[in-house]
Amino acid sequence: MALRPVMVNIKALDASAVGRFWAEALGWSAYSPGVTTYVGPGGGLVWPDPVAVCVDVVPVPEPKTTAKNRVHLDLATTSAAHQAELVARLQALGATPAHVGQGKVPWTVLADPEGNEFCVLEPREVYRDTGPIAAVVVDCADPRAMARFWGEAMDWTLHEVTDDHAVLRSAKGVGPYLEFLRTPDVKTVPDRVHLDLLPYPGDDKAAEVARLRTLGATDLDLGQGDVPWTCLVDPEGHEFCVLALS
């Protein structure tokens, strides 16, 4: 048994507007099957077997605080010209420069129209085949511990692990990487961005959730009530959800 990440969940006051931004940013399409705005490659929703790690923008009544998100997206580029063009296009769409203590770096840090930070990377060979999202990056205190938990939670392959950095990717070698980056920050507010995981067809969601608890996940009550998904936190308190297949 194992789970697969299928969506990066982003909370927003105006889910439709933020969804449109991310659709334009990634060159994907925005769909509104319900109250959320789902952003994925063209061709319509493919559920319960999505073809990519997509973005789901969920409406919430609270604005983002000034605290830096502990989860963010890194966007891939293919050349210096592409990086410059993408940064300019994103700013025209409503992105703004963000300062998170990065200093002088070759990538550009921006925030979406509601302040969610993300990076536009300089060209890197490792991300040449990921698609528009190079990586989902998670700030943490202990990358080795995160690699153990998430490596057991999902069916992704561990590519690298050090005291400062851990990297996983789909065993199929497609899509973005999941990276855990050691940072000195501590978690002070609920994550504005989190991962949604999905069982494979034929697997038992309740059994998967029970397995995650044995690995160190704990239940999370956000006032969600009776919903078909299960809200959990990993051993460092990062929220995530296990979705139902239908």
Side-chain angles (χ1 to χ4, degrees):
M1 295 191 299
L3 295 160
R4 51 200 162 130
V6 292
M7 293 192 298
V8 177
N9 186 299
I10 299 176
K11 297 180 175 67
L13 289 171
D14 189 339
S16 295
V18 173
R20 289 192 299 270
F21 169 84
W22 281 104
E24 291 286 344
L26 301 173
W28 287 353
S29 299
Y31 311 93
S32 294
V35 298
T36 73
T37 299
Y38 181 88
V39 178
L45 292 172
V46 182
W47 197 258
D49 191 22
V51 296
V53 177
C54 300
V55 172
D56 196 35
V57 186
V58 178
V60 294
E62 306 87 6
K64 182 181 182 293
T65 69
T66 57
K68 173 182 174 289
N69 285 340
R70 305 266 304 157
V71 181
H72 73 266
L73 297 181
D74 281 352
L75 305 190
T77 64
T78 57
S79 66
H82 180 209
Q83 183 187 16
E85 178 277 328
L86 181 56
V87 168
R89 185 167 64 84
L90 292 168
Q91 289 182 304
L93 291 170
T96 54
H99 302 283
V100 293
Q102 69 267 27
K104 187 174 182 179
V105 292
W107 58 89
T108 301
V109 184
L110 299 173
D112 74 12
E114 291 200 8
N116 298 298
E117 302 89 357
F118 65 97
C119 297
V120 181
L121 301 180
E122 76 283 4
R124 300 185 193 180
E125 181 65 17
V126 68
Y127 300 132
R128 72 187 185 281
D129 63 349
T130 60
I133 302 176
V136 181
V137 182
V138 182
D139 294 348
C140 68
D142 188 344
R144 291 187 184 276
M146 289 293 93
R148 286 192 296 271
F149 173 82
W150 287 93
E152 290 287 340
M154 307 187 310
D155 65 342
W156 282 23
T157 299
L158 181 64
H159 283 251
E160 176 187 352
V161 61
T162 69
D163 289 343
D164 296 316
H165 194 209
V167 180
L168 299 96
R169 194 186 190 194
S170 166
K172 298 178 182 177
V174 297
Y177 290 81
L178 175 61
E179 304 184 3
F180 295 93
L181 183 64
R182 185 177 183 179
T183 64
D185 307 328
V186 296
K187 190 175 190 299
T188 57
V189 296
D191 290 332
R192 196 79 176 173
V193 180
H194 70 256
L195 281 174
D196 285 343
L197 310 182
L198 186 69
Y200 282 92
D203 285 349
D204 185 286
K205 173 179 169 286
E208 285 292 329
V209 169
R211 186 176 66 86
L212 292 172
R213 292 187 185 114
T214 67
L215 295 173
T218 53
D219 292 283
L220 175 65
D221 185 357
L222 295 169
Q224 66 266 25
D226 185 15
V227 292
W229 59 89
T230 300
C231 300
L232 300 167
V233 295
D234 74 12
E236 284 201 12
H238 301 102
E239 296 92 344
F240 67 97
C241 296
V242 179
L243 306 179
L245 282 165
S246 59

